[in-house]
Amino acid sequence: MNQPNAPLRLLDLAPAALREQVAAWGQPAYRADQLYQWLYQRLAVDPAEMSNLPASLRQRLAEEAQIELLTPAAESVSSDGHTTKTLFRLHDGQLIETVLMRYDRRNTLCISSQAGCAMGCTFCATAQMGLQRNLTPGEIVAQVLYFERWLRQQGDERTAARAGSGGKESPAAAHASHLTPHASRVSNIVVMGMGEPLANYANLWQALRTLVDPAGFGLGARKITVSTVGLVPGIDRFAEEELQINLAVSLHAPNDALRATLTPINRRYPIAELIAACRRYVARTHRRISFEYAMMAGINDTPALAEELAALLHGLLCHVNLIPLNPVVGSPFQPSRRADVDAFVAILEAHGIPTTLRLRRGIDINAGCGQLRARVAQSTRTPSAG
Ligand code: SAH
């Protein structure tokens, strides 16, 4: 949308552009550093908070700039309380999802990189909406800042509750700290929400650089994982990046005939080319690739396919992450039976391929990719429209 007086979206500006903007406002360079710190370390949403900036600059920011880019539109919390999924509305009405998972002393945030997705995976809820648009760098980072603010606030409330009870935790605070052992920071980020991150490469990398910049958000690169459907040129580009961000590849099948029915992009980048790119990535970076494999009953979960997968990945520095399929409304695919999953794991491990089974986190809140948006869109449709 091209509004005549569209606000300046600060989070979209790379550090150099932010410096230029601050200079254009007639301010010395160190003001840009201070502003950067307010945005990404102190997580300010209101220029009035920026107490070390001159009043004139704060006024300018209030008039011309915008910080928060996300409006929460719906939220659901899983029944065990460990997973929170938020649907955000963007300035042009697009909806995206972000999921916070609090397990194993970690706060892992699953963020979106596009509104919708063009890849068309047949088992994925996001695919059903098609690609709406790329997220801007600011919209990617804003998902992290939103949950970081929320976690810090929870941490502060716990500390206050402890202080208020004479050093002993109140039952509520003890409960909260049980759920969130060190709750006050986002500790890991996975780019596994809506969209294909490597199809929005430049914006994704601008966001990732801010997130790992010690002067910015300051998260360790190794705490971040980007998941791709298997865009070969993007994987080659990823291998050249200096930051040690992890790469995950959504494989889901060990041969072209099957994979093409699940991830249509396989027709463009068939498995031999994909695995060759993965081998180049490992040779270049010496980092382990993780392969995601959503287990679908009677589709990709047979012992023969496990053998084929083991042969395909032989000698590659990798690990396989089996994901129980999250059933999507209107889709024929169902999650594999536990016995079939166990047999699949056993075969991979017998071939020396490290394998993990991802827990079905947040399954009761439609935490699978694109599912909350689908539900909200459905419930706001008029009954006669279907
Ligand atoms: N486009 C990227 C990242 C987004 S999806 C990619 O394809 O990797 C993150 C992961 O969730 C991918 O492995 C994707 O295949 C998987 N996924 C999508 N829908 C799913 C579902 N209904 N159940 C289980 N996994 C699903």
Side-chain angles (χ1 to χ4, degrees), residues 65 177 180 182 226 279:
S177 64
T180 57
H182 37 236
V226 172
R279 291 190 190 275

Short mmCIF file of all heavy atoms in Angstrom, two decimals, residues 65 177 180 182 226 279:
data_model
loop_
_atom_site.label_atom_id
_atom_site.label_comp_id
_atom_site.label_asym_id
_atom_site.label_seq_id
_atom_site.Cartn_x
_atom_site.Cartn_y
_atom_site.Cartn_z
N ALA A 65 8.27 8.20 12.53
CA ALA A 65 8.72 6.81 12.50
C ALA A 65 7.73 5.89 13.20
O ALA A 65 6.90 6.32 14.00
CB ALA A 65 10.09 6.70 13.16
N SER A 177 7.91 -20.33 37.19
CA SER A 177 9.32 -20.63 37.00
C SER A 177 9.51 -22.12 36.67
O SER A 177 10.47 -22.49 36.02
CB SER A 177 10.14 -20.24 38.23
OG SER A 177 9.74 -21.00 39.33
N THR A 180 9.01 -22.10 33.00
CA THR A 180 9.99 -21.33 32.25
C THR A 180 11.23 -21.12 33.10
O THR A 180 11.41 -20.06 33.67
CB THR A 180 9.39 -19.97 31.87
OG1 THR A 180 8.98 -19.31 33.06
CG2 THR A 180 8.20 -20.11 30.97
N HIS A 182 14.47 -20.44 32.78
CA HIS A 182 15.03 -19.09 32.70
C HIS A 182 14.33 -18.39 31.56
O HIS A 182 14.76 -18.37 30.43
CB HIS A 182 16.55 -19.05 32.56
CG HIS A 182 17.11 -20.15 31.71
ND1 HIS A 182 18.05 -21.02 32.14
CD2 HIS A 182 16.83 -20.50 30.43
CE1 HIS A 182 18.33 -21.87 31.17
NE2 HIS A 182 17.62 -21.57 30.13
N VAL A 226 17.66 -22.19 10.03
CA VAL A 226 16.81 -21.82 8.90
C VAL A 226 16.43 -23.10 8.18
O VAL A 226 17.29 -23.93 7.86
CB VAL A 226 17.56 -20.87 7.94
CG1 VAL A 226 16.75 -20.64 6.67
CG2 VAL A 226 17.87 -19.55 8.63
N ARG A 279 25.83 -31.77 0.13
CA ARG A 279 27.22 -32.23 0.29
C ARG A 279 28.20 -31.07 0.10
O ARG A 279 29.19 -30.96 0.82
CB ARG A 279 27.53 -33.38 -0.68
CG ARG A 279 26.77 -34.67 -0.31
CD ARG A 279 27.24 -35.89 -1.11
NE ARG A 279 26.34 -37.02 -0.90
CZ ARG A 279 26.44 -37.87 0.13
NH1 ARG A 279 27.42 -37.76 1.01
NH2 ARG A 279 25.57 -38.86 0.28
#
